[in-house]
Amino acid sequence: MSNQLEIKNLTANIGDKPILKDFNLTIPKGEVHALMGPNGTGKSTLAKVIAGHEDYEVTSGEILVDGENILGMEPDEISHAGVFLAFQYPMEIPGVSIANFIRAALQARMEEGETFDAPAYYRELYEKMDLLQMDRKFTSRSLNEGFSGGEKKRCEILQMSMLEPTYCIMDETDSGLDIDALKVVSNGVNLMRGEDRGILVITHYQRLLEYIVPDQVHVMWDGAIVQSGDKELAIELEAKGYEWVKNELATAGA
Ligand code: ADP
Ligand code: MG
């Protein structure tokens, strides 16, 4: 099938330490999947490996974007292939404004001979900033420099909504958000839901999933998905804690 993001038998190390262990996940277009799990289980590693981060050594597996293997591609090529990663800890880039950063990203993927329509760009940028309740003064501020946690996350969603990727991966977009910011950010994500887009929401807590209701929930443990279900699984997990999954695995003899 080509209309999906497919992660197949992915094994990846940092140095000699295996982090992802035969990891499998498929996200079809039109669906939102949540990936949950305790800290240190490999969620951010997965996101970074998909985005082509150079620190990780992939020893086996495939990552297929609409049928095309993106493993081994450079991060900008992966972005061109339609994958966007919103980082758990967004980088600060002093001296580069948000407006120029997003503009450069859009221009980088223009065809030869195409011209950039600046007025249309700013119209759209301001529209989306309004939706995310971001002050317009943010357009001229250096990317993420001195931003609060909530401001950084809004900025990530702004980039995502301007770049309109086919597959979005959001790594703990909820961390550091108060309830109002959480609602705004969730609203931004919900507006991006659609038939032509697959979304993976990585989160430690169930709270975000009250606002972004996933089609499927997966629980990750020690580098692999150990359980999948619908949104009820997230609620059960919140009530029983991750120890419950561990105990279930132990009784299953895993
Ligand atoms: P999660 O996002 O689920 O909390 P991570 O993917 O961040 O988990 O981390 C998984 C494991 O990999 C942890 O044991 C962590 O210490 C280790 N790890 C992650 N990044 C690095 C790194 N750059 N160098 C060494 N170990 C790392
Ligand atoms: Mg993480």
Side-chain angles (χ1 to χ4, degrees):
M1 281 261 303
S2 62
N3 257 334
Q4 53 196 18
L5 171 64
E6 260 181 295
I7 301 153
K8 285 184 172 168
N9 307 110
L10 187 66
T11 299
N13 302 339
I14 297 174
D16 291 336
K17 187 177 167 194
I19 309 290
L20 299 177
K21 302 171 184 172
D22 202 24
F23 184 97
N24 288 281
L25 176 64
T26 296
I27 302 163
K29 277 184 194 161
E31 293 189 10
V32 176
H33 288 214
L35 182 65
M36 304 183 74
N39 284 326
T41 207
K43 303 184 298 299
S44 292
T45 299
L46 173 73
K48 288 188 233 172
V49 169
I50 296 172
H53 200 293
E54 60 184 17
D55 285 357
Y56 304 88
E57 188 203 356
V58 175
T59 54
S60 69
E62 286 180 313
I63 303 176
L64 304 173
V65 174
D66 296 339
E68 181 188 15
N69 196 355
I70 59 164
L71 266 182
M73 284 187 181
E74 295 296 322
D76 64 317
E77 294 171 321
I78 293 169
S79 158
H80 282 220
V83 178
F84 181 90
L85 168 67
F87 289 102
Q88 180 168 7
Y89 303 108
M91 235 187 349
E92 300 191 4
I93 310 184
V96 178
S97 73
I98 293 183
N100 284 337
F101 181 77
I102 298 175
R103 180 180 174 146
L106 287 169
Q107 280 176 318
R109 59 178 64 175
M110 277 169 37
E111 302 293 323
E112 234 182 82
E114 238 183 297
T115 50
F116 190 78
D117 183 347
Y121 166 68
Y122 278 98
R123 253 196 320 275
E124 193 183 338
L125 184 68
Y126 289 145
E127 220 171 84
K128 291 188 167 157
M129 287 179 78
D130 288 348
L131 279 173
L132 290 166
Q133 296 177 19
M134 289 176 82
D135 198 307
R136 293 210 178 154
K137 69 172 193 283
F138 271 89
T139 46
S140 53
R141 279 182 56 179
S142 285
L143 191 72
N144 291 325
E145 197 182 19
F147 285 22
S148 72
E151 286 164 349
K152 284 183 184 172
K153 301 291 161 157
R154 280 175 211 228
C155 186
E156 292 275 294
I157 305 293
L158 178 68
Q159 290 168 42
M160 192 167 96
S161 67
M162 289 297 290
L163 294 174
E164 302 189 324
T166 315
Y167 298 100
C168 307
I169 297 151
M170 285 176 300
D171 191 8
E172 305 226 6
T173 300
D174 49 339
S175 69
L177 296 187
D178 61 31
I179 198 81
D180 291 325
L182 187 70
K183 284 181 189 169
V184 169
V185 163
S186 305
N187 185 32
V189 174
N190 283 329
L191 287 169
M192 293 199 67
R193 293 179 92 142
E195 269 174 36
D196 297 327
R197 182 167 293 130
I199 301 179
L200 178 65
V201 178
I202 297 172
T203 184
H204 186 74
Y205 301 105
Q206 192 261 338
R207 191 178 69 152
L208 176 72
L209 306 180
E210 290 173 21
Y211 300 100
I212 303 172
V213 180
D215 297 291
Q216 271 204 59
V217 174
H218 309 280
V219 182
M220 190 169 174
W221 190 277
D222 192 20
I225 287 176
V226 293
Q227 210 168 357
S228 296
D230 62 13
K231 62 183 191 328
E232 299 302 322
L233 176 59
I235 297 167
E236 196 172 6
L237 209 55
E238 186 83 351
K240 296 182 179 170
Y242 287 113
E243 284 302 307
W244 162 67
V245 178
K246 192 175 154 189
N247 295 337
E248 294 252 304
L249 284 175
T251 45

